[in-house]
């Protein structure tokens, strides 16, 4: 099955821009989806496909991808964006799903 | 609105089985599959497997094959996951998730399963 790799931790100053990345060979063929998880809560889908946001997700969240790397960018990070972020997608078998290890975002 | 309501926390002995339920509402049950995802304390997300609400077909991650059974009952709009031969490292929060095939768009609140002697 596919593997997705994320940096364990990233920090950003309040109001600044931060990029969280996800790497894996499968990303040449599939878009990554991004999930935000705050402490004690279930994950929430924040980005999917090429660069789509579910209803209610602020437009400061955007996505991009190139080659084996997918990125989630937060433009003007807010205190409430402090959370764990996971990338994930369906792998080439269509039956298997895979997650990255997660990135802990700290907003300073 | 879409809601996934999971059953309550469970405490089990090693070797026992646990069955977690997930009642769906707010959409046509048979239109989407369910995946089950777990998260051990302080760890990341781990996909367990999925079940088609329409056909009942299932597929699980290799490490759970033979130990997990997933079902979906359209008559009650409820999905189930049973995990057998529990070990201490099965202690985790188990989430049911609406699986659109390419992404997980709605998550249940999670069910804590604790395995301890």
């Amino acid at each position: 099955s596919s593997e997705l790799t994320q940096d364990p931790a990233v920090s950003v100053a309040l109001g600044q821009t931060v990029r969280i990345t996800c790497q894996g060979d499968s990303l040449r063929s599939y878009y990554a989806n991004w999930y935000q998880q705050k402490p004690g809560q279930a994950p929430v889908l924040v980005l999917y496909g090429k660069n789509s946001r579910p209803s209610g997700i602020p437009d400061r969240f955007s996505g991009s991808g190139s080659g084996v790397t997918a990125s989630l960018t937060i433009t003007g990070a807010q205190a409430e964006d402090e959370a764990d972020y996971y990338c994930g997608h369906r792998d080439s078998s269509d039956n298997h799903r895979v997650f990255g290890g997660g990135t802990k975002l700290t907003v300073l | 609105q879409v809601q996934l309501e999971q059953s309550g926390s469970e405490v089990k002995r090693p070797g026992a089985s646990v069955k977690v339920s997930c009642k769906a509402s707010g959409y046509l049950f048979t239109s989407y599959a369910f995946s089950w995802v777990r998260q051990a304390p302080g760890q990341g997300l781990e996909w367990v497997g999925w079940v088609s609400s329409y056909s009942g077909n299932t597929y699980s991650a290799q490490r759970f094959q033979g130990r997990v059974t997933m079902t979906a009952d359209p008559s009650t709009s409820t999905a189930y996951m049973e995990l057998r031969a529990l070990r201490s490292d099965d202690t985790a929060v188990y989430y049911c998730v609406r699986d659109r095939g390419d992404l997980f768009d709605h998550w249940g609140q999670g069910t804590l399963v604790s395995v301890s002697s």
Side-chain angles (χ1 to χ4, degrees):
Chain A
S1 61
S2 309
E3 290 190 2
L4 299 174
T5 301
Q6 299 181 243
D7 292 329
V10 171
S11 62
V12 61
L14 184 67
Q16 297 303 300
T17 296
V18 62
R19 177 174 292 182
I20 298 170
T21 61
C22 174
Q23 292 190 311
D25 288 342
S26 56
L27 295 175
R28 294 184 189 275
S29 305
Y30 295 92
Y31 292 117
N33 305 306
W34 291 92
Y35 304 90
Q36 176 195 68
Q37 186 180 33
K38 296 181 180 180
Q41 298 183 19
V44 171
L45 178 69
V46 293
L47 284 174
Y48 64 97
K50 188 175 183 180
N51 183 18
S52 297
R53 286 175 284 107
S55 174
I57 302 302
D59 61 5
R60 62 179 179 272
F61 288 87
S62 62
S64 62
S66 179
V68 300
T69 301
S71 300
L72 177 155
T73 300
I74 307 174
T75 304
Q78 302 299 302
E80 61 263 33
D81 299 334
E82 187 163 287
D84 294 327
Y85 290 85
Y86 295 90
C87 60
H89 68 58
R90 172 182 59 188
D91 84 351
S92 57
S93 75
D94 279 355
N95 287 324
H96 196 88
R97 315 288 190 252
V98 62
F99 291 103
T103 297
K104 182 177 182 59
L105 175 66
T106 300
V107 179
L108 305 173
Chain B
Q1 71 282 21
V2 176
Q3 288 191 322
L4 301 176
E5 187 67 29
Q6 297 185 224
S7 50
S9 299
E10 302 265 12
V11 179
K12 296 293 182 181
R13 300 290 192 195
S17 299
V18 68
K19 191 170 186 177
V20 180
S21 66
C22 171
K23 184 169 178 59
S25 60
Y27 70 98
L28 182 61
F29 181 79
T30 52
S31 293
Y32 300 94
F34 287 91
S35 265
W36 290 89
V37 175
R38 77 177 189 180
Q39 186 172 37
Q43 302 301 308
L45 303 175
E46 179 179 28
W47 179 74
V48 175
W50 65 253
V51 55
S52 167
S53 305
Y54 178 77
S55 66
N57 290 344
T58 63
Y59 191 87
S60 60
Q62 186 170 10
R63 64 177 293 182
F64 299 105
Q65 289 177 8
R67 210 160 62 93
V68 68
T69 299
M70 293 165 290
T71 56
D73 183 352
S75 70
T76 60
S77 297
T78 303
Y80 299 91
M81 182 211 64
E82 180 181 36
L83 189 61
R84 299 178 293 278
L86 289 168
R87 308 184 292 253
S88 58
D89 62 357
D90 290 318
T91 294
V93 174
Y94 289 76
Y95 294 101
C96 72
V97 191
R98 194 173 79 164
D99 186 335
R100 277 182 30 179
D102 55 348
L103 59 91
F104 302 148
D105 63 351
H106 291 278
W107 296 63
Q109 84 274 23
T111 296
L112 175 62
V113 176
S114 299
V115 184
S116 174
S117 56

